[in-house]
Amino acid sequence: MTYLRTWAVRALVCALTGAGAASVSAAEPFRIGVLDDMTSSLADQQGPGDVVGVKMAVADFGGKVLGRPIEVLAADHQNKPDIGSLIARQWYEKDDVQAIVGLGHSGVALAVQQLTREKNRVQINTAAGSSDLTGKACSPNSVHWVFDSYSFANSTAKAVMKSGHADTWFFITLDYAYGHALERDASNVVKANGGKVIGSVRHPLNSSDMASYLLQAQNAKANVIALANSGGDTINGIKQAKEFGVSTAGQQVVALTAFLTNIHAIGLETAKGTLFADAFYWDQSDEARAFSKRFQAIHGRPPTSLQAGAYGATLHYLKAVEDAGSADPAAVMAKMRAMPINDVMTKNGRIRPDGRVIRDIYIFEVKNPAESKGEWDLLKLKATIPGDEAFRPLNAGDCPLVQN
């Protein structure tokens, strides 16, 4: 198991806030954990960049809360629910971690969410995607911050169907909780808008060879081949579809989940024209550009929506702790729900009773190479979907916390 305690953040926070060694040692640290894929196919879009976002939030907050220095722990869950649960348990029981951020694998997030409720701590899912986190598995101790399978599937599928010639769909689906939820949620949108799902196939995480799956999709002759996956699997799917000449055969490949780093890895020549949903782009406003410049100076690249979300979620959580005057989860969660969310990626956002953050979702189109003015100048905004339209209705998720 990889278990990394980021002791260096304490020194960083002290340097940025002017706190001396004596003040740091005077109180037990207030600990926040970042639990993510740090080394595998999802790491570029979350992982180490999530840690950077959380550290920046801690530093911007001032480095202390409730009179205690804030310490950030980080660990790699290796995309395995048992390992993620083991790390979280150790953090809660031995390291007195008050909140966990990230959880960039839905199977891990769902497992840890149950543990978080049992141990009465706080969990902020900034990188996991399954809409079940605020559905049947919802928890009073958890928040789903950036996106979910419903919002991306709903927004992307509607945008693609409006573009025309997209009435039959075939899914290439990642065989774990997020992929299943993404296919389910997108299928419902397709059917509700008069389309048909004529087939699907599932693949394991980190599939380097998509040939057999793409062949099945081609043979099905669907108008749309939908990649219900993420990270390296999405990258491989789009690249290999290009090699197979899928688009020249009249079929459209759609990425139901894509992030800035995925598009960068694919390249504009291959990805140009691709439509996808996201919650943030580094170049969409002056505020976003200023934050992203700071982030890139540390991390070497602009933030994805997940990494910007880790920053905003941590700031919101720390403000709630400060306002509550306590780390008690019930008091903190009440404050988090009461406070509007206004940060670098969210304006007038709110947390619903099921834990879902409601914010705008955007449809982006990947630029042609000739349109790009720099390495990370990759996207152009096509549409803004208001949060109440992008996310699942509150009474439709079967969350036990919601009174219908």
Side-chain angles (χ1 to χ4, degrees):
M1 179 196 321
T2 301
Y3 183 156
L4 171 64
R5 173 171 289 188
T6 54
W7 54 268
V9 74
R10 187 183 296 184
L12 170 66
V13 170
C14 289
L16 291 173
T17 62
S23 63
V24 169
S25 61
E28 178 70 14
F30 185 98
R31 296 189 176 98
I32 299 172
V34 183
L35 185 58
D36 264 328
D37 179 348
M38 299 291 181
T39 56
S40 189
S41 64
L42 306 176
D44 280 352
Q45 64 201 39
Q46 49 174 270
D50 280 1
V51 179
V52 171
V54 172
K55 288 182 179 182
M56 288 177 65
V58 169
D60 287 353
F61 189 74
K64 298 178 73 174
V65 68
L66 304 180
R68 299 162 61 183
I70 302 166
E71 182 178 6
V72 178
L73 310 186
D76 185 351
H77 56 48
Q78 301 176 42
N79 297 310
K80 297 178 180 178
D82 57 340
I83 291 178
S85 295
L86 184 62
I87 294 169
R89 184 177 295 276
Q90 178 170 323
W91 278 355
Y92 290 150
E93 294 180 351
K94 296 183 179 180
D95 295 314
D96 197 30
V97 167
Q98 300 299 316
I100 294 179
V101 179
L103 284 304
H105 179 286
S106 292
V108 174
L110 288 162
V112 174
Q113 185 155 288
Q114 179 59 34
L115 177 66
T116 299
R117 185 171 187 171
E118 292 172 2
K119 296 299 180 181
N120 195 29
R121 298 301 167 95
V122 172
Q123 179 170 325
I124 309 177
N125 299 296
T126 55
S130 174
S131 58
D132 289 342
L133 287 161
T134 55
K136 59 186 179 182
C138 70
S139 165
N141 293 63
S142 298
V143 178
H144 205 174
W145 194 266
V146 177
F147 78 108
D148 59 28
S149 56
Y150 183 97
S151 63
F152 275 12
N154 179 42
S155 301
T156 304
K158 285 182 178 178
V160 170
M161 294 191 78
K162 285 181 181 178
S163 68
H165 192 57
D167 57 334
T168 56
W169 290 56
F170 187 101
F171 288 87
I172 297 177
T173 301
L174 180 57
D175 194 12
Y176 77 73
Y178 178 62
H180 301 169
L182 197 60
E183 179 183 333
R184 177 197 66 207
D185 293 339
S187 296
N188 289 339
V189 173
V190 170
K191 295 171 186 175
N193 285 272
K196 296 180 180 179
V197 176
I198 62 174
S200 67
V201 62
R202 292 181 174 179
H203 68 84
L205 183 67
N206 298 333
S207 293
S208 59
D209 187 356
M210 292 283 187
S212 65
Y213 312 121
L214 287 165
L215 182 60
Q216 291 181 60
Q218 284 183 301
N219 289 339
K221 301 188 184 304
N223 300 145
V224 177
I225 299 174
L227 300 177
N229 49 27
S230 186
D233 293 316
T234 296
I235 293 169
N236 290 335
I238 293 177
K239 284 184 173 181
Q240 291 174 34
K242 176 74 170 182
E243 295 170 3
F244 280 32
V246 169
S247 60
T248 60
Q251 292 176 297
Q252 180 178 5
V253 176
V254 172
L256 293 177
T257 302
F259 298 100
L260 180 71
T261 49
N262 307 147
I263 303 304
H264 183 266
I266 294 166
L268 293 183
E269 184 59 42
T270 299
K272 61 184 178 183
T274 299
L275 294 174
F276 68 97
D278 207 346
F280 171 84
Y281 179 48
W282 69 269
D283 197 27
Q284 68 186 108
S285 69
D286 289 342
E287 186 179 10
R289 284 186 285 273
F291 168 76
S292 299
K293 183 177 180 180
R294 294 173 52 211
F295 183 98
Q296 187 166 1
I298 300 168
H299 193 53
R301 62 184 64 180
T304 65
S305 59
L306 307 181
Q307 294 157 352
Y311 171 85
T314 302
L315 270 181
H316 193 77
Y317 168 72
L318 290 173
K319 290 175 183 176
V321 171
E322 182 177 60
D323 285 358
S326 166
D328 175 68
V332 172
M333 291 295 294
K335 289 291 184 180
M336 290 182 72
R337 289 189 174 94
M339 295 189 303
I341 303 170
N342 285 292
D343 59 32
V344 67
M345 67 179 291
T346 308
K347 301 306 174 190
N348 298 315
R350 68 185 192 279
I351 301 173
R352 295 191 314 199
D354 59 353
R356 176 66 259 166
V357 169
I358 302 301
R359 61 151 50 76
D360 291 346
I361 294 292
Y362 307 100
I363 298 295
F364 293 105
E365 181 180 329
V366 180
K367 290 184 174 181
N368 289 309
E371 296 177 294
S372 176
K373 299 178 181 179
E375 180 183 4
W376 293 96
D377 181 22
L378 304 177
L379 309 177
K380 50 189 176 184
L381 179 65
K382 300 297 291 184
T384 298
I385 315 298
D388 287 327
E389 295 179 19
F391 290 95
R392 180 179 59 203
L394 179 61
N395 62 359
D398 296 324
C399 171
L401 302 175
V402 176
Q403 296 181 353
N404 294 320

